[in-house]
Amino acid sequence: MITPIEAGLLVFIVATAVMTALLRDVLAAIIVFGGYSLGMAILWIVLQAPDVGLTEAAVGAGVMTVLFLATIARTTRLTGLEATTVDVNLPAAALCVVFVLAVLTTVPALPAVGAGPGENPAFGEISEYYVEEAYDDTHVENVVTAVLVAYRGFDTFGEATVVFAAGVGVLAVLRRGVFE
Amino acid sequence: MIDVGESTLLLAGAVGTVLVSVLLLGRAMIGPTMQDRVIALNVIGSNAVIVIALLAAAFAEPAFLDIALVYALLNFLMSVAISKFTVERGGVL
């Protein structure tokens, strides 16, 4: 069910995620978060989604690292800390473990991807219509791209507008210079 | 076409490289200096390129190699950005 490479990557991803939360120095947390993005993107490639992996690499590892660095350059970063990790709030950690266990018990009970229409309400005749008719309707070979840019064209246009506005906002903030 | 034995071997190599990355996280965790962490992340990024190249060969999908190329460039960018930040405070790129 779960291949060795998936298991190794999951160990790597969970370890980096926990370290990002626990490391006291923000710069160290940013570095480890870059490792998290790298592991996540390899997992996307293992799951045969190279386009998502490429986006994760560019956004997670590239843009986010630089944005975080620009943020701590313009705020304060505590240096010379004695402790490497933050103190863990034990009740909150226990609550997180309980939540993870609850998710682990409920998710496997969901119908499998590709199950019949009667068992899986999310995989019915609508998705079959897209798979069968997407090329005739839009003349785009990739079904995912066809849905994104043709069937949901206005939705994607709105997303692009939001991303553009966010980029302009970030540039406007960064151009104001460092407050002394 | 690659036969089953060869692709299993390539996948085993990818698994080993991932395990090495997990060990490298220990260096990123304890540090003690920020340079240690940057180099640990750089090696993890290089391992990521190797894993993707091995997976591209194992799945017989040459298109994955493009992603490995993007990774190699991004890995360099990340290391330079963080190194420059540690040397001259506030200077990112």
Side-chain angles (χ1 to χ4, degrees):
Chain A
M1 189 178 103
I2 186 162
T3 58
I5 185 144
E6 285 171 7
L9 281 171
L10 285 175
V11 168
F12 179 81
I13 290 167
V14 171
T16 45
V18 171
M19 280 167 64
T20 307
L22 289 183
L23 276 173
R24 181 130 204 178
D25 193 340
V26 278
L27 184 54
I30 291 171
I31 293 173
V32 176
F33 184 72
Y36 167 83
S37 290
L38 292 172
M40 202 70 207
I42 301 176
L43 188 62
W44 287 123
I45 292 165
V46 173
L47 296 175
Q48 305 279 334
D51 49 341
V52 187
L54 202 59
T55 313
E56 174 74 39
V59 174
V63 177
M64 286 304 280
T65 307
V66 172
L67 279 182
F68 279 144
L69 287 177
T71 307
I72 63 171
R74 276 158 179 75
T75 53
T76 52
R77 169 184 160 231
L78 300 173
T79 48
L81 299 163
E82 289 180 9
T84 317
T85 56
V86 294
D87 298 328
V88 180
N89 187 345
L90 283 179
L95 195 65
C96 290
V97 170
V98 170
F99 180 71
V100 167
L101 287 179
V103 169
L104 282 181
T105 49
T106 49
V107 168
L110 292 171
V113 175
E119 302 165 46
N120 191 349
F123 193 78
E125 54 194 23
I126 297 175
S127 30
E128 276 174 30
Y129 171 84
Y130 283 132
V131 172
E132 285 167 9
E133 304 290 334
Y135 186 73
D136 290 333
D137 283 353
T138 64
H139 293 277
V140 178
E141 287 185 6
N142 189 323
V143 180
V144 177
T145 312
V147 170
L148 278 180
V149 303
Y151 290 113
R152 300 183 189 165
F154 281 108
D155 187 41
T156 306
F157 181 65
E159 283 174 17
T161 312
V162 170
V163 171
F164 177 74
V168 170
V170 166
L171 286 180
V173 170
L174 289 181
R175 284 286 294 265
R176 290 183 65 184
V178 182
F179 294 103
E180 296 295 339
Chain B
M1 202 62 200
I2 297 173
D3 61 27
V4 180
E6 226 173 289
S7 97
T8 311
L9 202 64
L10 292 168
L11 278 178
V15 172
T17 316
V18 169
L19 291 180
V20 171
S21 302
V22 175
L23 291 181
L24 277 163
L25 282 179
R27 176 52 63 193
M29 183 83 185
I30 56 180
T33 68
M34 212 46 75
Q35 283 80 8
D36 291 320
R37 296 196 168 103
V38 173
I39 290 176
L41 181 68
N42 202 345
V43 178
I44 288 174
S46 304
N47 280 351
V49 175
I50 295 168
V51 169
I52 296 170
L54 287 173
L55 288 177
F59 296 154
E61 294 235 24
F64 286 2
L65 289 174
D66 296 345
I67 304 172
L69 273 179
V70 172
Y71 259 59
L73 293 171
L74 275 175
N75 192 23
F76 177 71
L77 180 95
M78 260 202 305
S79 301
V80 168
I82 300 171
S83 309
K84 199 157 180 235
F85 181 86
T86 55
V87 173
E88 43 186 274
R89 181 174 157 70
V92 185
L93 296 183

